[in-house]
Amino acid sequence: MRKRSSLGEFELLVLATIVRLGDRAYGAEIFRELEEQTGRDIAMGAVYTTLYRLEEKGLLSSEVGEATPVRGGRARRYFSIEGAGVEAVRRSVQALGALIGDTHLGWGTT
Amino acid sequence: MTRRMPKGGGRVGDVSPPSISTRLLELVLPPSLRDAFVGDLIEELRRRQASEVGSSPTRWYRRQVLRSIGPMAWRRLNASAVAQTALSTGAGFAAGWAWLWLLNQPLILGPVFRLPGSSLAIVLVLLEASPYLIAGLAVGLLATAKPLLAVLATGALVWAWPLLRAWWSTGELHAPGGLWSAVMILACLLLGVWIIQLVRRRLSA
Protein backbone atom coordinates (compact mmCIF):
# COMPACT_ATOMS: atom_id res chain seq x y z
CA MET A 1 0.00 0.00 0.00
CA ARG A 2 1.37 3.42 -0.94
CA LYS A 3 1.65 5.73 2.07
CA ARG A 4 0.20 9.24 1.92
CA SER A 5 2.89 11.83 2.57
CA SER A 6 2.35 13.34 5.99
CA LEU A 7 3.05 16.89 7.11
CA GLY A 8 6.02 17.73 9.32
CA GLU A 9 5.41 19.88 12.40
CA PHE A 10 6.76 23.07 10.82
CA GLU A 11 4.87 22.41 7.57
CA LEU A 12 1.65 22.12 9.58
CA LEU A 13 2.41 25.37 11.42
CA VAL A 14 3.09 27.21 8.15
CA LEU A 15 -0.08 25.89 6.50
CA ALA A 16 -2.18 26.74 9.57
CA THR A 17 -0.71 30.25 9.57
CA ILE A 18 -1.66 30.75 5.92
CA VAL A 19 -5.20 29.53 6.67
CA ARG A 20 -5.31 32.02 9.54
CA LEU A 21 -3.99 34.94 7.47
CA GLY A 22 -6.25 34.33 4.50
CA ASP A 23 -5.60 34.32 0.80
CA ARG A 24 -2.96 37.02 0.36
CA ALA A 25 -0.40 35.88 2.92
CA TYR A 26 3.22 36.68 2.16
CA GLY A 27 6.58 35.67 3.65
CA ALA A 28 7.20 38.48 6.16
CA GLU A 29 3.62 38.31 7.41
CA ILE A 30 3.76 34.51 7.79
CA PHE A 31 7.13 34.86 9.58
CA ARG A 32 5.77 37.46 12.07
CA GLU A 33 2.63 35.46 12.77
CA LEU A 34 4.66 32.29 13.35
CA GLU A 35 7.04 34.06 15.75
CA GLU A 36 4.15 35.63 17.66
CA GLN A 37 2.02 32.50 17.90
CA THR A 38 4.78 29.98 18.66
CA GLY A 39 7.18 32.23 20.63
CA ARG A 40 10.06 30.65 18.70
CA ASP A 41 13.08 32.32 17.17
CA ILE A 42 12.43 31.43 13.54
CA ALA A 43 14.67 31.77 10.49
CA MET A 44 13.11 33.34 7.41
CA GLY A 45 15.04 30.73 5.43
CA ALA A 46 13.17 27.95 7.23
CA VAL A 47 9.84 29.60 6.36
CA TYR A 48 10.80 29.93 2.70
CA THR A 49 12.22 26.42 2.29
CA THR A 50 8.96 25.12 3.80
CA LEU A 51 6.82 27.31 1.53
CA TYR A 52 8.86 26.16 -1.47
CA ARG A 53 8.44 22.49 -0.49
CA LEU A 54 4.69 22.85 0.17
CA GLU A 55 4.27 24.49 -3.22
CA GLU A 56 6.17 21.61 -4.84
CA LYS A 57 3.82 19.17 -3.10
CA GLY A 58 0.85 21.07 -4.57
CA LEU A 59 -0.49 22.13 -1.17
CA LEU A 60 0.11 25.82 -1.82
CA SER A 61 0.10 28.14 -4.80
CA SER A 62 1.72 31.52 -5.15
CA GLU A 63 1.62 34.64 -7.27
CA VAL A 64 3.88 37.64 -7.55
CA GLY A 65 2.41 40.86 -6.17
CA GLU A 66 3.36 44.50 -6.13
CA ALA A 67 6.75 46.02 -5.32
CA THR A 68 6.85 48.63 -2.54
CA PRO A 69 9.52 51.17 -1.46
CA VAL A 70 9.61 49.76 2.08
CA ARG A 71 10.81 46.48 0.56
CA GLY A 72 13.57 48.16 -1.43
CA GLY A 73 11.42 48.01 -4.56
CA ARG A 74 11.07 44.23 -4.42
CA ALA A 75 7.84 42.43 -5.16
CA ARG A 76 5.90 40.36 -2.67
CA ARG A 77 4.98 36.74 -3.34
CA TYR A 78 1.52 35.88 -2.07
CA PHE A 79 0.77 32.34 -0.97
CA SER A 80 -2.64 30.72 -0.81
CA ILE A 81 -3.63 27.27 0.33
CA GLU A 82 -4.97 24.74 -2.17
CA GLY A 83 -7.70 22.15 -1.55
CA ALA A 84 -5.05 19.46 -1.03
CA GLY A 85 -3.42 21.70 1.59
CA VAL A 86 -6.66 22.15 3.52
CA GLU A 87 -7.17 18.39 3.40
CA ALA A 88 -3.60 17.77 4.64
CA VAL A 89 -4.12 20.15 7.58
CA ARG A 90 -7.45 18.52 8.40
CA ARG A 91 -5.91 15.01 8.33
CA SER A 92 -2.94 16.01 10.53
CA VAL A 93 -5.11 17.80 13.12
CA GLN A 94 -7.54 14.88 13.15
CA ALA A 95 -4.71 12.37 13.70
CA LEU A 96 -3.24 14.51 16.48
CA GLY A 97 -6.65 14.90 18.10
CA ALA A 98 -7.27 11.15 17.94
CA LEU A 99 -3.90 10.42 19.52
CA ILE A 100 -4.05 13.01 22.28
CA GLY A 101 -7.81 13.43 22.81
CA ASP A 102 -8.30 10.57 25.23
CA THR A 103 -5.04 10.88 27.14
CA HIS A 104 -4.54 12.47 30.55
CA LEU A 105 -3.50 15.67 28.74
CA GLY A 106 -7.24 16.18 28.57
CA TRP A 107 -7.66 17.46 25.04
CA GLY A 108 -11.28 17.71 24.07
CA THR A 109 -12.56 17.30 27.64
CA THR A 110 -12.53 20.96 28.59
CA MET B 1 13.19 66.86 12.78
CA THR B 2 15.69 65.01 14.94
CA ARG B 3 16.17 61.38 14.09
CA ARG B 4 17.09 59.00 16.89
CA MET B 5 19.99 56.58 16.38
CA PRO B 6 18.87 52.98 16.83
CA LYS B 7 21.11 50.51 18.66
CA GLY B 8 22.13 48.74 15.46
CA GLY B 9 23.43 51.88 13.76
CA GLY B 10 21.76 53.85 10.94
CA ARG B 11 18.78 56.24 11.18
CA VAL B 12 15.20 55.29 11.96
CA GLY B 13 13.15 55.05 8.78
CA ASP B 14 16.22 55.27 6.57
CA VAL B 15 17.77 51.87 6.96
CA SER B 16 19.75 50.22 4.23
CA PRO B 17 20.16 46.48 4.63
CA PRO B 18 23.79 45.28 5.00
CA SER B 19 24.90 45.05 1.39
CA ILE B 20 27.39 42.16 1.65
CA SER B 21 24.85 39.97 3.46
CA THR B 22 22.22 40.83 0.87
CA ARG B 23 24.54 40.04 -2.07
CA LEU B 24 25.53 36.74 -0.45
CA LEU B 25 21.90 35.79 0.02
CA GLU B 26 20.96 36.75 -3.53
CA LEU B 27 23.72 34.51 -4.78
CA VAL B 28 22.23 31.35 -3.25
CA LEU B 29 18.53 32.10 -3.68
CA PRO B 30 16.67 30.60 -6.64
CA PRO B 31 15.67 33.43 -9.02
CA SER B 32 11.96 32.78 -8.44
CA LEU B 33 12.28 33.53 -4.71
CA ARG B 34 15.00 36.21 -4.79
CA ASP B 35 12.81 39.32 -4.78
CA ALA B 36 10.22 37.93 -2.38
CA PHE B 37 12.73 36.63 0.17
CA VAL B 38 15.07 39.64 0.23
CA GLY B 39 12.08 42.03 0.13
CA ASP B 40 10.52 40.29 3.13
CA LEU B 41 13.80 40.51 5.07
CA ILE B 42 14.13 44.24 4.26
CA GLU B 43 10.49 44.86 5.21
CA GLU B 44 10.99 43.08 8.55
CA LEU B 45 14.30 44.90 9.14
CA ARG B 46 12.57 48.27 8.70
CA ARG B 47 9.65 47.24 10.90
CA ARG B 48 12.06 46.19 13.65
CA GLN B 49 14.02 49.40 13.27
CA ALA B 50 10.85 51.48 13.57
CA SER B 51 9.35 49.55 16.48
CA GLU B 52 12.67 48.82 18.22
CA VAL B 53 11.95 45.10 18.45
CA GLY B 54 15.02 43.17 19.64
CA SER B 55 18.50 44.47 20.31
CA SER B 56 19.84 45.36 16.85
CA PRO B 57 17.86 45.10 13.61
CA THR B 58 21.03 45.08 11.55
CA ARG B 59 22.43 42.20 13.61
CA TRP B 60 19.06 40.45 13.30
CA TYR B 61 19.26 40.84 9.50
CA ARG B 62 22.79 39.42 9.32
CA ARG B 63 21.85 36.52 11.58
CA GLN B 64 18.80 35.76 9.40
CA VAL B 65 21.00 35.75 6.30
CA LEU B 66 23.57 33.45 7.95
CA ARG B 67 20.84 31.04 9.10
CA SER B 68 19.21 31.03 5.66
CA ILE B 69 22.22 30.65 3.37
CA GLY B 70 22.87 26.96 4.14
CA PRO B 71 19.30 25.63 3.67
CA MET B 72 18.71 27.82 0.62
CA ALA B 73 22.01 26.80 -1.05
CA TRP B 74 21.22 23.14 -0.35
CA ARG B 75 17.70 23.56 -1.77
CA ARG B 76 19.07 25.21 -4.91
CA LEU B 77 21.72 22.55 -5.32
CA ASN B 78 19.12 19.81 -5.07
CA ALA B 79 17.02 21.49 -7.73
CA SER B 80 19.86 21.21 -10.26
CA ALA B 81 20.76 17.66 -11.31
CA VAL B 82 24.05 18.85 -12.90
CA ALA B 83 25.20 20.71 -9.77
CA GLN B 84 24.16 17.82 -7.55
CA THR B 85 26.01 15.27 -9.69
CA ALA B 86 29.15 17.44 -9.73
CA LEU B 87 29.02 17.92 -5.96
CA SER B 88 28.47 14.22 -5.21
CA THR B 89 31.28 13.26 -7.61
CA GLY B 90 33.68 15.71 -5.96
CA ALA B 91 32.61 14.74 -2.44
CA GLY B 92 32.95 11.02 -3.24
CA PHE B 93 36.41 11.52 -4.68
CA ALA B 94 37.48 13.69 -1.71
CA ALA B 95 36.07 11.24 0.86
CA GLY B 96 37.85 8.29 -0.81
CA TRP B 97 41.21 10.04 -0.89
CA ALA B 98 40.85 11.38 2.65
CA TRP B 99 40.22 7.80 3.82
CA LEU B 100 43.20 6.57 1.79
CA TRP B 101 45.42 9.25 3.33
CA LEU B 102 44.23 8.24 6.82
CA LEU B 103 44.96 4.58 6.09
CA ASN B 104 48.49 5.48 5.06
CA GLN B 105 49.23 6.93 8.48
CA PRO B 106 51.55 4.42 10.27
CA LEU B 107 49.56 4.68 13.51
CA ILE B 108 46.42 3.34 11.77
CA LEU B 109 47.95 0.52 9.74
CA GLY B 110 50.67 -0.49 12.24
CA PRO B 111 48.54 -3.03 14.19
CA VAL B 112 47.23 -4.50 10.91
CA PHE B 113 50.70 -5.73 9.88
CA ARG B 114 51.04 -7.69 13.11
CA LEU B 115 48.12 -9.95 12.04
CA PRO B 116 48.84 -13.60 11.04
CA GLY B 117 49.31 -14.36 7.31
CA SER B 118 45.81 -15.27 6.00
CA SER B 119 43.99 -12.72 8.17
CA LEU B 120 46.44 -10.06 7.01
CA ALA B 121 45.71 -10.89 3.35
CA ILE B 122 41.94 -10.54 3.88
CA VAL B 123 42.31 -7.28 5.83
CA LEU B 124 44.63 -5.84 3.17
CA VAL B 125 42.15 -6.62 0.38
CA LEU B 126 39.38 -4.98 2.42
CA LEU B 127 41.57 -1.97 3.15
CA GLU B 128 42.47 -1.62 -0.52
CA ALA B 129 38.80 -1.62 -1.46
CA SER B 130 37.64 0.59 1.43
CA PRO B 131 38.45 4.03 -0.11
CA TYR B 132 36.16 3.23 -3.06
CA LEU B 133 33.45 2.02 -0.67
CA ILE B 134 33.75 5.25 1.34
CA ALA B 135 33.61 7.22 -1.94
CA GLY B 136 30.43 5.29 -2.86
CA LEU B 137 28.86 6.08 0.52
CA ALA B 138 29.58 9.79 0.01
CA VAL B 139 28.14 9.70 -3.52
CA GLY B 140 25.06 7.84 -2.26
CA LEU B 141 24.50 10.41 0.49
CA LEU B 142 24.52 13.36 -1.91
CA ALA B 143 23.35 12.08 -5.29
CA THR B 144 19.62 11.62 -5.22
CA ALA B 145 18.92 12.84 -8.77
CA LYS B 146 21.39 10.86 -10.90
CA PRO B 147 23.31 8.42 -8.65
CA LEU B 148 24.48 6.17 -11.51
CA LEU B 149 25.97 9.11 -13.42
CA ALA B 150 27.72 10.28 -10.24
CA VAL B 151 29.08 6.74 -9.66
CA LEU B 152 30.45 6.57 -13.22
CA ALA B 153 31.99 10.04 -12.97
CA THR B 154 33.58 9.28 -9.58
CA GLY B 155 34.83 5.91 -10.86
CA ALA B 156 36.41 7.50 -13.93
CA LEU B 157 38.02 10.20 -11.79
CA VAL B 158 39.41 7.68 -9.27
CA TRP B 159 40.67 5.38 -12.06
CA ALA B 160 42.36 8.13 -14.03
CA TRP B 161 43.75 10.04 -11.02
CA PRO B 162 47.12 8.20 -10.74
CA LEU B 163 47.61 8.67 -14.49
CA LEU B 164 46.90 12.40 -14.23
CA ARG B 165 49.23 12.75 -11.24
CA ALA B 166 52.07 10.97 -13.03
CA TRP B 167 51.49 13.08 -16.14
CA TRP B 168 51.56 16.25 -14.02
CA SER B 169 54.88 15.36 -12.34
CA THR B 170 56.76 13.59 -15.17
CA GLY B 171 55.01 14.84 -18.28
CA GLU B 172 54.60 11.23 -19.47
CA LEU B 173 51.36 9.39 -20.00
CA HIS B 174 51.11 5.78 -18.82
CA ALA B 175 48.08 3.52 -19.16
CA PRO B 176 46.10 3.46 -15.92
CA GLY B 177 45.28 0.26 -14.00
CA GLY B 178 43.73 -2.60 -15.93
CA LEU B 179 40.15 -3.66 -16.44
CA TRP B 180 40.09 -5.57 -13.15
CA SER B 181 40.85 -2.45 -11.10
CA ALA B 182 38.14 -0.50 -12.98
CA VAL B 183 35.60 -3.25 -12.24
CA MET B 184 36.63 -3.35 -8.57
CA ILE B 185 36.34 0.44 -8.23
CA LEU B 186 32.89 0.48 -9.83
CA ALA B 187 31.69 -2.49 -7.77
CA CYS B 188 32.82 -0.86 -4.50
CA LEU B 189 31.26 2.49 -5.45
CA LEU B 190 27.96 0.78 -6.34
CA LEU B 191 28.08 -1.19 -3.08
CA GLY B 192 28.50 2.08 -1.13
CA VAL B 193 25.58 3.73 -2.94
CA TRP B 194 23.44 0.60 -2.44
CA ILE B 195 24.20 0.55 1.33
CA ILE B 196 23.12 4.21 1.65
CA GLN B 197 19.92 3.60 -0.31
CA LEU B 198 19.14 0.54 1.82
CA VAL B 199 19.63 2.53 5.03
CA ARG B 200 17.46 5.36 3.64
CA ARG B 201 14.67 2.92 2.73
CA ARG B 202 14.81 1.32 6.19
CA LEU B 203 14.71 4.71 7.92
CA SER B 204 11.76 5.94 5.88
CA ALA B 205 9.78 2.69 6.28
Side-chain angles (χ1 to χ4, degrees):
Chain A
M1 194 180 86
R2 195 170 177 272
K3 275 196 265 182
R4 272 186 303 203
S5 69
S6 54
L7 290 176
E9 189 228 2
F10 199 65
E11 287 179 331
L12 180 60
L13 286 174
V14 168
L15 279 176
T17 306
I18 293 171
V19 171
R20 189 183 166 90
L21 290 172
D23 250 3
R24 286 170 71 82
Y26 66 98
E29 201 181 28
I30 297 167
F31 169 82
R32 278 197 290 272
E33 188 71 11
L34 274 169
E35 277 210 329
E36 274 173 31
Q37 296 301 328
T38 63
R40 287 194 207 169
D41 177 22
I42 290 169
M44 188 78 84
V47 174
Y48 263 93
T49 43
T50 307
L51 289 168
Y52 200 67
R53 194 168 53 241
L54 290 170
E55 199 173 2
E56 272 179 352
K57 287 184 182 178
L59 306 181
L60 286 180
S61 59
S62 70
E63 56 173 331
V64 178
E66 72 280 8
T68 57
V70 77
R71 299 169 56 83
R74 292 165 192 271
R76 282 178 179 162
R77 185 172 276 271
Y78 292 107
F79 293 89
S80 39
I81 194 159
E82 292 293 305
V86 175
E87 178 60 20
V89 172
R90 193 188 61 76
R91 263 200 327 263
S92 292
V93 173
Q94 222 167 37
L96 204 61
L99 282 169
I100 296 179
D102 296 331
T103 66
H104 68 280
L105 294 173
W107 253 33
T109 58
T110 52
Chain B
M1 193 179 111
T2 315
R3 281 181 158 161
R4 193 165 27 82
M5 289 292 287
K7 291 172 194 166
R11 291 177 304 181
V12 172
D14 187 19
V15 194
S16 293
S19 59
I20 295 175
S21 306
T22 307
R23 291 259 169 83
L24 212 61
L25 186 62
E26 284 176 332
L27 208 67
V28 298
L29 284 170
S32 59
L33 289 183
R34 206 168 284 155
D35 259 18
F37 191 110
V38 178
D40 281 337
L41 272 185
I42 294 171
E43 185 182 322
E44 186 61 17
L45 169 81
R46 290 187 172 155
R47 190 188 70 86
R48 281 171 184 254
Q49 196 104 27
S51 62
E52 295 186 302
V53 178
S55 57
S56 160
T58 313
R59 201 178 304 144
W60 171 86
Y61 186 95
R62 287 202 181 102
R63 209 162 62 87
Q64 284 290 331
V65 170
L66 279 178
R67 289 170 71 188
S68 303
I69 278 177
M72 280 296 170
W74 183 247
R75 186 96 208 143
R76 194 164 178 195
L77 192 75
N78 273 315
S80 158
V82 176
Q84 200 198 74
T85 307
L87 177 86
S88 47
T89 300
F93 183 66
W97 278 98
W99 181 243
L100 192 66
W101 176 83
L102 204 68
L103 286 181
N104 282 327
Q105 301 307 302
L107 201 67
I108 308 276
L109 277 189
V112 170
F113 289 105
R114 286 195 286 277
L115 288 169
S118 57
S119 310
L120 177 65
I122 294 168
V123 171
L124 283 180
V125 168
L126 290 176
L127 283 178
E128 200 186 334
S130 67
Y132 312 125
L133 185 70
I134 298 289
L137 291 174
V139 170
L141 271 175
L142 292 169
T144 48
K146 295 188 183 302
L148 198 62
L149 188 64
V151 162
L152 289 173
T154 312
L157 201 58
V158 168
W159 191 59
W161 183 246
L163 169 85
L164 292 173
R165 259 198 348 191
W167 177 65
W168 180 258
S169 56
T170 64
E172 287 175 28
L173 272 173
H174 298 284
L179 187 67
W180 170 241
S181 79
V183 169
M184 190 197 73
I185 289 168
L186 273 183
C188 290
L189 285 168
L190 284 170
L191 181 67
V193 171
W194 178 74
I195 290 170
I196 289 291
Q197 286 184 346
L198 193 73
V199 171
R200 275 199 176 137
R201 269 202 297 274
R202 283 282 158 88
L203 288 176
S204 65

